[in-house]
Amino acid sequence: MPRQPINDLIAFLAVARERSFTKAAAQLGVSQSALSHTIRGLEARLGLRLLTRTTRSVSPTEAGERLLVSIGPRLDEIDQELAALSAFRDKPAGTIRITAGEHAADRILWPALERLLPDYPDVHVEVIVDYGLTDIVSERYDAGVRLGEQVAKDMIAVRIGPDMRMAVVGAPAYFATRKMPLMPQDLTEHNCINLRLPTHGGIYAWEFERQGREVKVRVEGQLVFNNIALRLNAALGGLGLTYLPEDAVAPYLASGQLVQVLEDWCPPFAGYHLYYPSRRQTSPAFALIADALRYRGPRHKSFQQA
């Protein structure tokens, strides 16, 4: 037997419970004639009379009573569940999945989440650290974090961090037997600590710019890592030069454990942005996190903002 339209069953329940076409029609917001036509159609498809009609009253037949008792509670449960779901529109709850690089996760995401989450126990956050340019739509992420210049034009971008600078650094012990590089090309004569990217397994080319001139240098050395901590430790140990976000090495520059070179070739650039599809229907939980992450300082470049 084919499935009966849910609206027809809802119409039957209203009439059977109210014992009146007039009251049921008012409850459903339809005319009595339309409601009567719906019930007749349902009865015809089932091949059963569901309601006994007189000039004074309407009452379920035996078959109608059985249908009322069996499906009434189930449809009530569906209504209750739908009502419960509506709470998600008003109450921050659910799981938010974000993909980000190691530095952004450590310096931007974690401090904000550490402050926010204790007050919202029903909000769960999954942060996946990934250096690749992940397709957040196909991978089913709610959002991603990238540098501003890497955000696709069809995405909404919310700035979540200040401008950044990169820094080429090495330990004083390293420079004790080597000349400091004066130009990016001089790095080819140094033992450099490299970063391997997940995309095709390539080695990251160090990027520089001065007075509008951009230079990329593919450096070589004894060590290659895929995270910040090991590159930093290797530089602190005097094993070579490395290229890291300036804020990650700032304490070691201040203490004299590291020395910075090529500063005039490392200008500021647009910092991290939270990005997500423009067609995304944001939940209260997502809106809460996006607002907590939003950077309210000066902007470097203009992007499409949420």
Side-chain angles (χ1 to χ4, degrees):
M1 179 179 293
R3 292 185 178 182
Q4 304 306 317
I6 189 71
N7 287 340
D8 291 3
L9 295 175
I10 291 172
F12 163 74
L13 287 178
V15 177
R17 284 171 170 172
E18 294 293 338
R19 300 294 202 268
S20 166
F21 274 89
T22 302
K23 292 180 180 179
Q27 181 187 109
L28 297 172
V30 299
S31 67
Q32 291 185 51
S33 61
L35 181 56
S36 179
H37 178 76
T38 297
I39 298 300
R40 285 197 301 271
L42 178 61
E43 290 176 325
R45 288 192 300 276
L46 292 174
L48 293 168
R49 182 174 291 278
L50 299 175
L51 297 169
T52 298
R53 306 164 178 82
T54 70
T55 56
R56 294 188 176 183
S57 66
V58 177
S59 60
T61 62
E62 182 178 356
E65 188 66 36
R66 179 172 176 175
L67 185 61
L68 173 63
V69 171
S70 63
I71 72 167
R74 291 177 173 82
L75 290 178
D76 289 341
E77 287 177 7
I78 292 173
D79 284 341
Q80 291 168 7
E81 289 301 323
L82 291 175
L85 284 177
S86 68
F88 283 101
R89 296 195 302 266
D90 310 312
K91 176 185 176 184
T95 299
I96 304 300
R97 300 182 72 236
I98 302 174
T99 176
E102 176 191 8
H103 182 251
D106 180 60
R107 299 285 170 158
I108 304 293
L109 296 183
W110 174 241
L113 295 176
E114 186 179 26
R115 294 189 301 269
L116 180 71
L117 293 184
D119 294 330
Y120 295 92
D122 293 326
V123 174
H124 303 266
V125 181
E126 181 179 345
V127 177
I128 303 300
V129 173
D130 184 0
Y131 279 105
L133 300 180
T134 304
D135 184 339
I136 61 172
V137 176
S138 64
E139 296 296 326
R140 301 180 66 83
Y141 285 103
D142 294 284
V145 176
R146 289 183 188 171
L147 295 173
E149 60 195 19
Q150 297 175 334
V151 177
K153 299 299 183 183
D154 60 345
M155 293 285 173
I156 297 294
V158 178
R159 184 167 181 146
I160 61 175
D163 288 351
M164 292 176 55
R165 288 184 67 192
M166 298 301 291
V168 179
V169 296
Y174 175 83
F175 288 116
T177 58
R178 295 172 178 82
K179 294 181 179 180
M180 291 188 177
L182 301 178
M183 298 286 290
Q185 293 83 351
D186 295 341
L187 292 170
T188 58
E189 301 175 5
H190 284 264
N191 194 4
C192 295
I193 303 158
N194 264 310
L195 166 68
R196 184 173 295 282
L197 298 171
T199 307
H200 307 301
I203 299 295
Y204 176 71
W206 296 11
E207 301 177 70
F208 301 95
E209 181 182 345
R210 188 173 71 177
Q211 297 177 350
R213 179 189 174 195
E214 296 182 2
V215 177
K216 289 186 178 182
V217 181
R218 296 196 175 276
V219 299
E220 296 183 356
Q222 293 176 279
L223 294 169
V224 179
F225 299 110
N226 67 347
N227 68 13
I228 289 176
L230 291 173
R231 285 183 286 153
L232 177 57
N233 287 338
L236 288 168
L239 298 178
L241 301 182
T242 194
Y243 181 80
L244 292 170
E246 191 176 55
D247 64 341
V249 298
Y252 306 100
L253 294 173
S255 67
Q257 292 175 270
L258 291 176
V259 176
Q260 185 173 2
V261 296
L262 300 174
E263 289 185 65
D264 56 339
W265 281 93
C266 298
F269 54 89
Y272 292 117
H273 286 65
L274 184 77
Y275 68 97
Y276 55 94
S278 58
R279 63 180 180 276
R280 188 187 192 283
Q281 180 66 39
T282 58
S283 67
F286 182 84
L288 179 75
I289 290 172
D291 187 65
L293 290 170
R294 188 184 299 272
Y295 177 67
R296 293 173 170 81
R299 301 185 184 279
H300 179 69
K301 292 181 179 180
S302 60
F303 293 86
Q304 184 182 5
Q305 300 293 322

